[in-house]
């Protein structure tokens, strides 16, 4: 791998290594990608206040996230199909996260199953839940997460129907990969990827295959998702999930103050201010522009997490200053995974940690818990 200095280097390395259909799947936003772009642009507009001649020799990046000690104010977001970025991608990402002392969230739409990951790692991880029409299956999935000792359930609340990502249609994105001439040519030019996938435990959705009907012919992931995911999902179902899951619950995908207030009243441990990485409602505000209002309204009642466009330690600092207690990272770690597996994810986390450390020092901040609005300027 060439010299990696920042997340963008990992992105370029992943683009060289991972077949286009899977790289694009992770990269894309929905429709015109306005919200995807806004996530990055609005973060870059938040200016940090440079402070000088403050003794910052001793700096402390650790914190707690939903009461769990974390060495950084970061968690790995649930990302579908990690095992198609690199063979056994979910296991590798979980190991890298745990070695760095931060939570890993396994997606419902993962390639390695809950049980595969639980057997391969040492500590509990979080499990992300999509609620599908087949409630018997969802009940069983929650039970599997409990049996695997997952320490939190992350309920995604912003994907009752799927926002279209044009590239997935153009690329004929399927799992397992479709045997089409264009795909074969692309994969043949990515031998390291192909080898890692061949060696991986599974080639399809580990949590679903053999458990849910219709997995045999996932011709289009988007079509399949729209036919299986439950569009009737409502706040009542959050109560239903809470009844089945006695542990900590995180509600991911809140962008509106009214919704945040309802989320705070559910007894969930945290909410994640998120627009699903710009992959759902195109035209929705950036996550960072929604964050301060939500943190002001409910920050005293429920822990506020953030995701959407984090590509640097300075971005983490911005989100914490505007009211988040921690950030989830998605694409930033997926690039690392695609670039070089576990080592790549570890590199992504280390880059963000180093950048956060330096950004804290240069804003005169010694401890993560001291980050507040005072470090933001015009
Ligand atoms: C699923 O969560 C997706 O965004 O593709």
């Amino acid at each position: 791998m060439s010299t990696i200095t920042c997340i963008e280097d990992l992105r370029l390395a992943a683009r060289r290594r991972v077949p286009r259909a899977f790289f694009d799947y992770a990269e894309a936003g929905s429709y015109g990608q306005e919200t995807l772009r806004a996530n990055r642009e609005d973060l870059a507009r938040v200016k940090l206040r440079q402070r000088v001649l403050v003794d910052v020799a001793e700096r402390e990046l650790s914190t707690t996230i939903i009461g769990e000690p974390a060495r950084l104010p970061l968690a790995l977001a649930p990302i579908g199909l990690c095992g198609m970025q690199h063979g056994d991608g979910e296991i590798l990402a979980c190991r890298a996260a745990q070695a760095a002392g931060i939570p890993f969230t396994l997606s419902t739409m993962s390639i390695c199953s809950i049980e595969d990951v639980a057997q391969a790692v040492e500590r509990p991880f979080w499990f992300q839940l999509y609620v599908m029409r087949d409630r018997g299956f969802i009940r069983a999935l929650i039970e599997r997460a409990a049996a695997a000792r997952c320490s939190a359930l992350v309920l995604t609340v912003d994907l009752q129907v799927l926002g279209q990502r044009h590239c997935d249609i153009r690329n004929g994105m399927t799992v397992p990969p479709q045997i089409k001439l264009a795909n074969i040519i692309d994969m043949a030019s990515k031998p390291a990827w192909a080898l890692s996938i061949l060696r991986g435990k599974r080639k399809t959705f580990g949590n679903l295959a053999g458990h849910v009907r219709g997995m045999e012919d996932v011709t289009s992931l988007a079509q399949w998702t729209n036919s299986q995911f439950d569009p009737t999902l409502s706040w009542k179902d959050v109560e239903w999930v809470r009844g089945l899951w006695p542990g900590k619950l995180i509600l991911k995908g809140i962008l509106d103050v009214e919704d945040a207030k309802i989320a705070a009243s559910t007894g969930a441990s945290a909410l994640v201010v998120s627009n699903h990485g710009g992959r759902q409602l195109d035209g929705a505000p950036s996550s960072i522009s929604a964050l301060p209002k939500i943190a002001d309204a409910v920050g005293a009642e429920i822990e506020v997490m953030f995701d959407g466009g984090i590509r640097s330690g300075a971005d983490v600092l911005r989100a914490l200053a505007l009211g988040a207690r921690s950030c989830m990272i998605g694409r930033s770690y997926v690039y690392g995974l695609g670039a070089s597996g576990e080592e790549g994810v570890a590199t992504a986390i280390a880059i963000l940690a180093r950048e956060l450390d330096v950004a804290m020092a240069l804003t005169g901040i010694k401890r993560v818990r001291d980050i507040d609005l005072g470090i933001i300027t015009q």
Side-chain angles (χ1 to χ4, degrees), residues 41-374:
E41 287 166 7
D42 289 356
L43 266 168
R45 265 198 275 276
V46 177
K47 297 300 170 205
L48 298 167
R49 188 169 157 218
Q50 171 178 302
R51 298 302 307 278
V52 298
L53 300 180
V54 180
D55 176 354
V56 287
E58 306 279 331
R59 296 184 300 281
E60 177 59 64
L61 271 59
S62 65
T63 184
T64 59
I65 306 179
I66 57 162
E68 296 177 6
R71 261 188 261 146
L72 299 164
L74 290 179
L76 300 198
I79 303 288
L81 280 61
C82 278
M84 287 287 141
Q85 304 290 338
H86 191 289
D88 291 339
E90 292 86 6
I91 292 173
L92 303 183
C94 186
R95 285 192 182 135
Q98 295 193 343
I102 63 173
F104 167 78
T105 318
L106 183 71
S107 166
T108 291
M109 305 300 285
S110 57
I111 302 297
C112 292
S113 68
I114 305 176
E115 294 79 11
D116 294 338
V117 179
Q119 273 163 23
V121 304
E122 291 184 353
R123 283 189 292 282
F125 52 92
W126 296 353
F127 180 68
Q128 175 266 346
L129 184 70
Y130 277 128
V131 178
M132 298 181 196
R133 295 170 200 247
D134 179 348
R135 293 302 175 93
F137 168 67
I138 296 306
R139 183 188 288 268
L141 201 53
I142 294 174
E143 283 165 8
R144 286 165 65 191
R149 296 191 309 118
C150 290
S151 57
L153 192 69
V154 179
L155 179 65
T156 299
V157 295
D158 60 3
L159 201 143
Q160 280 156 283
V161 297
L162 188 74
Q164 176 170 303
R165 299 90 192 240
H166 301 328
C167 61
D168 291 349
I169 297 174
R170 291 198 192 106
N171 292 333
M173 220 281 296
T174 63
V175 178
Q178 223 176 21
I179 308 302
K180 277 199 326 194
L181 188 62
N183 290 347
I184 294 174
I185 293 171
D186 189 22
M187 287 174 209
S189 68
K190 313 276 189 322
W193 173 87
L195 195 62
S196 91
I197 298 293
L198 280 176
R199 287 187 180 145
K201 276 190 199 316
R202 292 178 195 271
K203 318 285 176 263
T204 188
F205 297 107
N207 293 324
L208 314 182
H211 296 273
V212 74
R213 280 186 301 279
M215 276 312 296
E216 303 73 31
D217 52 10
V218 180
T219 44
S220 142
L221 185 63
Q223 254 170 27
W224 186 84
T225 303
N226 278 330
S227 68
Q228 297 286 327
F229 284 31
D230 191 348
T232 71
L233 193 70
S234 75
W235 288 106
K236 271 208 163 52
D237 297 299
V238 175
E239 277 173 43
W240 177 74
V241 169
R242 264 182 65 79
L244 296 172
W245 175 262
K248 290 178 183 166
L249 181 69
I250 300 175
L251 300 176
K252 177 173 175 286
I254 303 287
L255 209 58
D256 184 87
V257 169
E258 287 310 306
D259 287 341
K261 287 182 183 161
I262 307 173
S265 72
T266 62
S269 301
L271 62 79
V272 187
V273 175
S274 170
N275 50 35
H276 212 107
R279 295 161 75 79
Q280 283 295 95
L281 178 62
D282 197 33
S286 64
S287 297
I288 198 71
S289 68
L291 173 64
K293 287 171 263 183
I294 293 178
D296 274 356
V298 299
E301 293 154 56
I302 186 169
E303 193 163 315
V304 174
M305 302 178 69
F306 171 87
D307 83 10
I310 299 281
R311 298 287 183 279
S312 70
D315 290 339
V316 177
L317 188 59
R318 289 166 162 136
L320 267 52
L322 291 174
R325 183 173 178 93
S326 63
C327 297
M328 280 191 163
I329 53 168
R331 295 182 181 90
S332 286
Y333 94 77
V334 170
Y335 298 146
L337 184 62
S340 58
E342 182 173 344
E343 184 204 336
V345 179
T347 302
I349 299 168
I351 286 171
L352 295 176
R354 277 199 304 273
E355 291 175 346
L356 173 62
D357 182 51
V358 171
M360 279 169 52
L362 297 178
T363 49
I365 296 285
K366 283 186 273 209
R367 289 173 299 248
V368 158
R369 65 172 175 276
D370 296 337
I371 299 170
D372 65 15
L373 214 48

